[in-house]
C-alpha cells in the first residue's frame, strides 16, 4: 500500500498534462511575443538619423558588416573598426540584412521574430533548472511565469538588441553547470566551456557568472567525493573556452594594436554614469550619437584613444568627488532592484512608464528575495549558486549605468525564485533528493 502514492506520483511525472509540458509553454510564449511584434515593429522602421532606431549601435555595425566594410562604425558614417560590443549578435543581424535587406521591413520582422524565439526557448533550460532545484510543480509555474513575463515582451518584440539572446545563453550556461554536477564525461565539460564562450562573445557582462559557476561546480564535485584528478576536465573546458574566444581577441590585437578581450567601451560607460549630471541613469550628452562634439572626438581620435580619454576623465571625476560616486552607486543599486531613479515631473515626461516599472520591479525583487531565503532551508546548494549569480552579475552596472534591459539575463531566475514562494519544493522531490544524492557516484 505504501508504494501506491509513489507510483501515482511517478506516473504523473512521466505523463504530465499538456499545459505542464515545456514544449507547450514554449509554443504559447512564442505565440504571445510574435503577436506583439506588429504593434512595435514600426518603431524600428523610422528612417530618421539613418535608421538609428533600427538597433542603434548593433544596427550600425550590422550595416557595416552587410555592406562589406567589416566589423566597424557603431555610429554614423565610416569611423573605422570597432570592438564596441561582442561580435555574435551584430553578425546575426548582418546575416539577416544580407538576406532580407539592410534596414528593410522584412529584416525587422525576421530579427524581432528571432528575438521572440530566443525568449521562448529560454523556457527549456529554465524548466530544467527549476525542476532540478525545486521539482516539477515549481518548474511548471516558473516557465508559465516566464511565458507571460512583462519585460520580455518589449525586449523580444520591440528591441533590435542582444537582450533575449543573452538571457537565453545565461540560463543555458547555468543549466549546463547544474547538469555537470552529476557528469564527468569530457564532452559535457567541453560543451560547458563553449556555451560560456558564446555567451561572453554575445554579452561580456554574462561572464561575471562564470567564476561563480566554476567554483560552485568544483565545490559540489569535491563534496560528492570526486578526487582531485578530475581537475583536468575543467582545464579542458577552459581550453575550449579560449579556443572559441581567441579569434576575437586576435582580431582586436591586430586591428587596434593592443589587447582588447571582449569589448572596448567600458570606460565610456563608466564616464557616462559618473558625471555631475544624475538627472537620468546616464546623460545622453555624454554619448557620441547624441552629441556632435563627442561624435567628432570619437571620429578624430579613433575608438581606442577616445576610450583612453574617457578613462582619464572618469577616474579624475571619481577622485575629485568620491562621495558623489558612492551615492550614485547606491542609487544605481536601488534602481537595479526597484526601478526607482527619479519621480520628478520632468523625469516622468521622458520615462512615462517609470511608476509601473517601479511597481513591477520592486514586487519581483521582493518575492525573489523571499524565495531565495526559503531556498536556503530546502535546497541550499542551488540557493548558494542563485545568490552568488544575483550578487555578481549586476556589479558592473552598479558602477556604470543600469537598465532593466541590462538586468534581463537575471529575470528568469527572479521569476523562478518568485514563484517558488508559492509552490515551495515538491514533497516527492524532497523525498527523492536524498536517495538520489546518496546513490549517485561519479566515476573518474
Amino acid at each position: 500500500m505504501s508504494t501506491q502514492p509513489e507510483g501515482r506520483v511517478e506516473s504523473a511525472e512521466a505523463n504530465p498534462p499538456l499545459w505542464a509540458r515545456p514544449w507547450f509553454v514554449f509554443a504559447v510564449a512564442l505565440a504571445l511575443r510574435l503577436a506583439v511584434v506588429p504593434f512595435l515593429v514600426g518603431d524600428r522602421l523610422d528612417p530618421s538619423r539613418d535608421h538609428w532606431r533600427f538597433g542603434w549601435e548593433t544596427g550600425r555595425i550590422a550595416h557595416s558588416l552587410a555592406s562589406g566594410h567589416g566589423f566597424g562604425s557603431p555610429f554614423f558614417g565610416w569611423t573605422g573598426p570597432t570592438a564596441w560590443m561582442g561580435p555574435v549578435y551584430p553578425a546575426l543581424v548582418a546575416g539577416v540584412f544580407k538576406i532580407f535587406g539592410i534596414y528593410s521591413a522584412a529584416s525587422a520582422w525576421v530579427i524581432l521574430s528571432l528575438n521572440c524565439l530566443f525568449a521562448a526557448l529560454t523556457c527549456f533550460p529554465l524548466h530544467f533548472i527549476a525542476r532540478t532545484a525545486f521539482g516539477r510543480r515549481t518548474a511548471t509555474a516558473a516557465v508559465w511565469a516566464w511565458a507571460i513575463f512583462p519585460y520580455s515582451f518589449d525586449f523580444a518584440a520591440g528591441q533590435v538588441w542582444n537582450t533575449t539572446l543573452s538571457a537565453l545563453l545565461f540560463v543555458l550556461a547555468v543549466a549546463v553547470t547544474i547538469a555537470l554536477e552529476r557528469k564527468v564525461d569530457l564532452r559535457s565539460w567541453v560543451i560547458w566551456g563553449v556555451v560560456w564562450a558564446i555567451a561572453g562573445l554575445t554579452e561580456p557582462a554574462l561572464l561575471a557568472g562564470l567564476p561563480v559557476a566554476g567554483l560552485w561546480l568544483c565545490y559540489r564535485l569535491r563534496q560528492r567525493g570526486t578526487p582531485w584528478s578530475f581537475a583536468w576536465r575543467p582545464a579542458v573546458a577552459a581550453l575550449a573556452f579560449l579556443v572559441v574566444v581567441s579569434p576575437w581577441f586576435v582580431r582586436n590585437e591586430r586591428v587596434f594594436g593592443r589587447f582588447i578581450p571582449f569589448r572596448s567601451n567600458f570606460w565610456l560607460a563608466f564616464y557616462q554614469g559618473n558625471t555631475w549630471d544624475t538627472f537620468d541613469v546616464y546623460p545622453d550628452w555624454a554619448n557620441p550619437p547624441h552629441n556632435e562634439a563627442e561624435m567628432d572626438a570619437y571620429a578624430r581620435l579613433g575608438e581606442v584613444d577616445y576610450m583612453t580619454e574617457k578613462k582619464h576623465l572618469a577616474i579624475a571625476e571619481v577622485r575629485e568627488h568620491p562621495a558623489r560616486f558612492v551615492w550614485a552607486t547606491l542609487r544605481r543599486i536601488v534602481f537595479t532592484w526597484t526601478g526607482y531613479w527619479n519621480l520628478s515631473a520632468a523625469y516622468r515626461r521622458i520615462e512615462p512608464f517609470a511608476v509601473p516599472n517601479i511597481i513591477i520591479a520592486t514586487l519581483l525583487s521582493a518575492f525573489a528575495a523571499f524565495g531565495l531565503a526559503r531556498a536556503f532551508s530546502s535546497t541550499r546548494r542551488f540557493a548558494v549558486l542563485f545568490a552568488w549569480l544575483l550578487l555578481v552579475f549586476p556589479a558592473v552596472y552598479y558602477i556604470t549605468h543600469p537598465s532593466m534591459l541590462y538586468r534581463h539575463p537575471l529575470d528568469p531566475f527572479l521569476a523562478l525564485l518568485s514563484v517558488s514562494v508559492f509552490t515551495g519544493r515538491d514533497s516527492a522531490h524532497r523525498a527523492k533528493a536524498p536517495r538520489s544524492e546518496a546513490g549517485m557516484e561519479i566515476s573518474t
Side-chain angles (χ1 to χ4, degrees):
M1 293 290 292
S2 62
T3 61
Q4 288 181 358
E6 290 186 10
R8 286 197 294 270
V9 169
E10 290 177 0
S11 176
E13 288 187 352
N15 297 287
L18 179 65
W19 57 268
R21 300 186 181 191
W23 67 263
F24 179 77
V25 184
F26 156 78
V28 173
L30 179 59
L32 290 175
R33 285 157 178 77
L34 289 175
V36 177
V37 172
F39 299 97
L40 301 180
V41 68
D43 288 341
R44 303 310 115 209
L45 300 177
D46 182 357
S48 62
R49 306 191 72 204
D50 196 12
H51 296 89
W52 174 243
R53 291 176 62 84
F54 198 125
W56 305 282
E57 294 95 324
T58 294
R60 300 306 304 170
I61 295 171
H63 174 272
S64 178
L65 281 168
S67 301
H69 297 297
F71 199 93
S73 302
F75 304 121
F76 307 108
W78 173 247
T79 54
T82 186
W84 190 270
M85 58 181 55
V88 171
Y89 193 75
L92 174 65
V93 175
V96 174
F97 280 175
K98 289 287 284 186
I99 298 172
F100 296 97
I102 296 174
Y103 296 141
S104 69
S107 288
W109 277 90
V110 171
I111 295 164
L112 295 178
S113 297
L114 285 173
N115 288 347
C116 293
L117 177 63
F118 298 145
L121 284 171
T122 305
C123 288
F124 293 109
L126 179 61
H127 185 274
F128 171 80
I129 293 170
R131 186 188 64 201
T132 305
F134 297 98
R136 287 186 177 272
R137 181 174 59 188
T138 301
T140 300
V143 292
W144 274 111
W146 182 248
I148 59 172
F149 196 79
Y151 292 119
S152 181
F153 283 79
D154 178 45
F155 300 155
Q159 309 287 341
V160 180
W161 202 255
N162 65 25
T163 311
T164 60
L165 178 58
S166 296
L168 169 61
L169 289 170
F170 196 55
V171 178
L172 179 61
V174 174
V176 175
T177 300
I178 290 174
L180 269 182
E181 186 191 10
R182 297 176 181 274
K183 292 182 178 180
V184 293
D185 61 287
L186 186 59
R187 184 181 67 172
S188 297
W189 282 92
V190 170
I191 291 172
W192 186 74
V194 169
V195 169
W196 277 108
I198 296 172
L201 291 173
T202 302
E203 176 49 70
L206 300 180
L207 293 179
L210 177 55
V212 170
L215 290 172
W216 179 86
L217 189 54
C218 291
Y219 174 74
R220 284 296 304 158
L221 290 174
R222 283 297 298 157
Q223 270 200 327
R224 298 173 65 81
T226 307
W228 282 111
S229 59
F230 87 99
W232 69 274
R233 295 180 178 87
V236 172
L239 179 61
F241 176 91
L242 291 174
V243 166
V244 175
V245 302
S246 59
W248 180 243
F249 294 2
V250 171
R251 175 264 182 188
N252 290 341
E253 173 68 29
R254 289 181 175 176
V255 168
F256 298 105
R258 65 182 66 184
F259 179 66
I260 300 176
F262 287 98
R263 61 189 304 177
S264 63
N265 68 338
F266 169 79
W267 286 110
L268 175 61
F270 187 84
Y271 168 75
Q272 290 170 340
N274 293 288
T275 67
W276 51 266
D277 185 355
T278 58
F279 170 74
D280 203 347
V281 289
Y282 86 92
D284 278 347
W285 58 260
N287 207 13
H290 304 292
N291 185 320
E292 187 174 347
E294 291 292 333
M295 186 67 230
D296 289 344
Y298 174 85
R300 183 183 72 257
L301 295 173
E303 186 163 287
V304 171
D305 289 340
Y306 179 78
M307 296 304 168
T308 300
E309 179 183 85
K310 295 307 176 187
K311 175 182 177 180
H312 296 323
L313 289 173
I315 293 175
E317 187 77 17
V318 171
R319 285 176 175 170
E320 185 175 355
H321 303 285
R324 188 167 67 193
F325 171 71
V326 172
W327 175 241
T329 299
L330 292 174
R331 289 186 67 188
R332 286 187 286 261
I333 293 172
V334 171
F335 178 86
T336 298
W337 299 109
T338 68
Y340 173 78
W341 184 263
N342 185 349
L343 279 181
S344 68
Y347 180 80
R348 283 184 281 116
R349 277 195 295 271
I350 64 171
E351 296 289 348
F353 295 103
V355 172
N357 181 50
I358 291 171
I359 295 171
I360 295 172
T362 303
L363 287 175
L364 179 65
S365 297
F367 280 124
F370 188 33
L372 182 63
R374 289 185 59 180
F376 271 99
S377 64
S378 62
T379 178
R380 185 177 179 83
R381 71 185 192 275
F382 297 114
V384 169
L385 176 60
F386 297 150
W388 276 106
L389 290 173
L390 295 177
L391 180 67
V392 303
F393 174 77
V396 68
Y397 301 118
Y398 294 160
I399 61 173
T400 54
H401 52 82
S403 166
M404 293 296 107
L405 183 139
Y406 298 158
R407 194 198 69 176
H408 192 57
L410 288 181
D411 284 342
F413 300 101
L414 298 179
L416 165 59
L417 292 169
S418 295
V419 300
S420 73
V421 171
F422 305 99
T423 60
R425 196 177 185 211
D426 294 2
S427 57
H429 192 69
R430 283 197 299 269
K432 287 193 212 175
R435 291 199 297 270
S436 61
E437 182 81 14
M440 178 67 69
E441 294 182 1
I442 299 181
S443 61
T444 58

